[in-house]
Amino acid sequence: MRKIALLLCVASFVMSSCGEYNKLLKSQDPDLKYSYAKKYFNQKKYVKSATLLEEVVHYFRGRAEAEESLYLLAQSYYGQKDYITASEYFKTYYNTYPKGEFAELSRYYGAYGLYLDSPDPRLDQAQTHEAMKQFLLYLEYYPQSERAKEAQQLLFDLQEKLAYKEYLAAKLYYNIGTYMGNNYTACVLTSENALKDYPDTKYREELSYLKLCSKYELAVVSINERLQGRYREVVDEYYNYMNEFPEGKYIRQVKKYFEYANAKIENNY
């Protein structure tokens, strides 16, 4: 009996809550809706909060509530993990109120939401680039902010994701090899561009190694007229690798490439 009574109480509470919310949706009082939107927001009922705020945010233009209502709307979508919509509302806020009370937070959370929604490195990275752009703008506007250091780290994390994407592409080109053409050249170019664009990446050694391996493979399949030049490039890459990674994880293999290429050069073959 106690369980039944408890269930009836819960059901009654849920029904009354739903009834309250449905009445609010039908209400023509924007101030009442706004007060409940804030109540739902504080209770982390972000869907209800966003729905009510969407209905009233336009009523408050020119009023004291205008800034807060727009910011809360953005945060309500952020709380739902709808980071794309949240980012758009955050952008609307700081474009409308560039010196507003929530301008800094809007720029930060707009960028951070895109960071959280950044796709897998194997997918298109347009959103990652947009998140980086937003963090750069945040740091430009608020270089002394208490969040600046964190923003810099998040920006670096996004750069690492892009570097990893390039590393995966270079590795794929190398693994494909001469299938349907010579993909070693593509591997070299991809590795070189990644090393140039992301000089501090943790994948630097892997990219350098792939570049050397690909140049070695290009030499092996090269025509006689280009053999000497290609093998000299292998030797140059060996020294570049050794200078940068004297205790690198691929030393044994790169030494084999060096010895083979050097022997070919000395024998003029």
Side-chain angles (χ1 to χ4, degrees), residues 208-266:
S208 299
Y209 177 65
L210 281 173
K211 182 181 174 184
L212 189 154
C213 292
S214 293
K215 288 199 171 184
Y216 171 80
E217 296 295 342
L218 284 170
V220 170
V221 299
S222 182
I223 59 176
N224 289 338
E225 288 79 3
R226 303 189 66 179
L227 278 176
Q228 285 290 306
R230 287 275 172 83
Y231 280 123
R232 290 185 187 282
E233 288 183 15
V234 175
V235 171
D236 289 342
E237 288 300 325
Y238 164 79
Y239 284 118
N240 289 338
Y241 179 90
M242 292 301 294
N243 286 334
E244 190 166 1
F245 310 103
E247 298 180 3
K249 64 182 78 172
Y250 304 109
I251 284 181
R252 182 178 297 181
Q253 187 59 43
V254 300
K255 282 185 176 179
K256 289 181 179 179
Y257 290 152
F258 166 73
E259 290 168 358
Y260 184 86
N262 204 41
K264 290 292 185 180
I265 293 170
E266 289 178 354

Side-chain angles (χ1 to χ4, degrees), residues 106-121:
S106 291
R107 284 193 178 276
Y108 180 81
Y109 282 110
Y112 188 56
L114 293 175
Y115 167 87
L116 293 174
D117 212 39
S118 178
D120 183 275

